[in-house]
Amino acid sequence: MVGSIPVNIVESLEKSVAPWVSAQDLAPAAAERVRTWWERAHRVYPAATQKAWRFDWAVFLGFCEPKNACPLPAAPETVAAFVAHCKEAGKKPATVRRYLSTIALAHRVAKLINPCAEEAVQLEIKGLYNVLSARQRQAKALGWAEIERFLKSAGHSLPATRERALLCVAYDTMARRAELVSLDLDDFDFLPDGSGRALIRRSKTDQAGEGNAAYLSRTTVRYLKLWLKAAGIEDGAVFRRVIGRGTLTTDRNGRGRIGERLSVDAIARAFKRVADWIGMPADEVEQVSGHSIRVGATQDLLALNIDLASVMQAGRWKTNRMPMRYGEHVLAARGGMARAAEAQGRDQQ
């Protein structure tokens, strides 16, 4: 697979024969537009987004190449057939939407007509929703109750010390994986009262990099300082690999050495280890992901009757769609019918 999506797009353009305009006239100008865009975009968009683009484009290319179909510019019939192929393969609607978003981006960047907006494609999308559920499986929540069990039960090894700090910072900041691993020591302020602040310099909803300050509790600051001291971190990345780390119960004499910054994928693995350690069932451990603490924190805030605007501010959301999705079970228990059932005596045993 080619190293980045713009290269894939440029190669596609150079091989393309557009049905309504000659490739000789189209390719050089469109290719240059893609290169110019990429020079700017790769400095702005997170690595996870770029990885998704590369994967999505590779999937679409994999569909087009055996059929000798042009991927850029793609005919609406080609994209419609791609959607139908995804439906037959049992792809989730959310996954197909992401594929189409990347295809549309490729055309928009090259200043080509977006085939995804055509009626043939829209009809296939409607058919996809008629057959498959649009509901996405939610990550298993890790809330404060689960985190507290780990804080009390894990050993005193270097990995356990890091995991305590990681869990607490993730919970207080409600940080996404990329935000969490990007934290440097100078992004933290420790206040005289024992609390602290963390600066989330860039997030999914803050591509301009204006930054957002997040609150850190005294408990979080305490565990964070223990990790920084144990790992000897005086600058740079806060959450790093522990090499030759042993187990969560190994004492500090068995410590490994500190490696480079944690990867985005390492966050989900760490959360799964924590879930397994506190005794969650295997099927629930499997559902734990890098979003689990973000989901758990949202549910905890809503259960405590924290207003939705404050939840959105804490999680750096621009709309209420995701916090309401994460907290739907909590909100259902506090909704109009739940209150009516209590008032009417229908909830009495």
Side-chain angles (χ1 to χ4, degrees):
M1 187 173 70
V2 182
S4 64
I5 184 172
V7 175
N8 285 340
I9 293 174
V10 171
E11 286 185 352
S12 299
L13 278 169
E14 291 169 348
K15 296 176 182 176
S16 295
V17 180
W20 55 88
V21 62
S22 71
Q24 182 178 359
D25 295 332
L26 170 68
E32 184 57 33
R33 286 193 287 268
V34 170
R35 291 190 185 98
T36 301
W37 171 81
W38 179 245
E39 288 175 1
R40 295 169 179 163
H42 87 278
R43 298 191 299 267
V44 175
Y45 287 95
T49 300
Q50 297 175 38
K51 181 179 178 181
W53 286 338
R54 289 194 293 270
F55 180 83
D56 297 347
W57 191 251
V59 171
F60 185 53
L61 284 181
F63 171 80
C64 291
E65 286 175 354
K67 297 173 172 52
N68 292 319
C70 178
L72 194 74
E77 291 74 18
T78 298
V79 181
F82 174 65
V83 175
H85 169 77
C86 290
K87 179 172 65 176
E88 291 173 4
K91 297 286 187 182
K92 296 289 187 182
T95 301
V96 179
R97 280 203 310 270
R98 200 186 76 183
Y99 292 159
L100 295 178
S101 176
T102 298
I103 294 169
L105 171 66
H107 286 76
R108 185 169 70 249
V109 165
K111 297 190 183 303
L112 300 170
I113 295 173
N114 176 17
C116 302
E118 297 297 318
E119 187 67 15
V121 179
Q122 293 301 310
L123 287 173
E124 285 296 337
I125 294 172
K126 182 176 178 59
L128 177 71
Y129 280 101
N130 287 341
V131 173
L132 300 173
S133 171
R135 185 177 180 85
Q136 293 177 267
R137 189 178 72 172
Q138 184 169 284
K140 179 64 180 177
L142 290 177
W144 185 248
E146 290 76 24
I147 293 172
E148 194 168 33
R149 281 160 57 192
F150 181 84
L151 298 180
K152 293 177 178 178
S153 65
H156 299 290
S157 66
L158 197 58
T161 303
R162 184 195 66 188
E163 252 65 303
R164 284 188 176 96
L166 182 67
L167 293 171
C168 289
V169 171
Y171 186 83
D172 276 359
T173 62
M174 296 177 69
R176 299 174 178 88
R177 297 174 302 163
E179 298 164 3
L180 200 55
V181 300
S182 296
L183 289 168
D184 289 333
L185 188 55
D186 60 6
D187 293 328
F188 291 92
D189 285 325
F190 301 128
L191 304 181
D193 66 358
S195 67
R197 301 291 184 271
L199 176 62
I200 309 297
R201 293 187 179 274
R202 190 184 298 278
S203 69
K204 185 177 180 180
T205 53
D206 177 28
Q207 296 297 333
E210 295 180 0
N212 290 273
Y215 172 80
L216 300 177
S217 68
R218 292 173 178 83
T219 296
T220 294
V221 169
R222 183 168 67 254
Y223 283 118
L224 179 57
K225 286 183 174 180
L226 285 173
W227 159 244
L228 294 173
K229 182 178 179 180
I233 295 173
E234 297 180 352
D235 58 25
V238 168
F239 295 115
R240 309 186 189 193
R241 291 181 60 205
V242 179
I243 303 171
R245 62 193 180 195
T247 68
L248 290 173
T249 56
T250 304
D251 63 29
R252 289 193 179 91
N253 293 327
R255 61 178 291 170
R257 62 185 178 86
I258 302 302
E260 68 274 14
R261 187 187 301 271
L262 282 180
S263 69
V264 170
D265 291 338
I267 298 300
R269 293 194 294 269
F271 291 172
K272 284 181 182 293
R273 285 195 300 272
V274 167
D276 183 62
W277 174 264
I278 63 176
M280 289 175 63
D283 60 328
E284 293 186 1
V285 173
E286 183 62 28
Q287 296 173 39
V288 168
S289 78
H291 293 286
S292 288
I293 288 184
R294 191 168 166 83
V295 174
T298 302
Q299 293 179 358
D300 285 354
L301 291 178
L302 292 173
L304 291 168
N305 287 320
I306 306 298
D307 63 275
L308 190 56
S310 296
V311 175
M312 290 171 60
Q313 183 273 331
R316 294 169 298 286
W317 281 293
K318 297 296 185 184
T319 72
N320 64 12
R321 186 176 72 88
M322 288 312 298
M324 291 190 70
R325 171 77 174 88
Y326 288 165
E328 63 181 353
H329 296 298
V330 176
L331 294 172
R334 289 169 33 204
M337 189 54 69
R339 284 180 284 169
E342 182 179 4
Q344 294 166 346
R346 292 186 286 116
D347 269 347
Q348 294 178 3
Q349 293 186 353

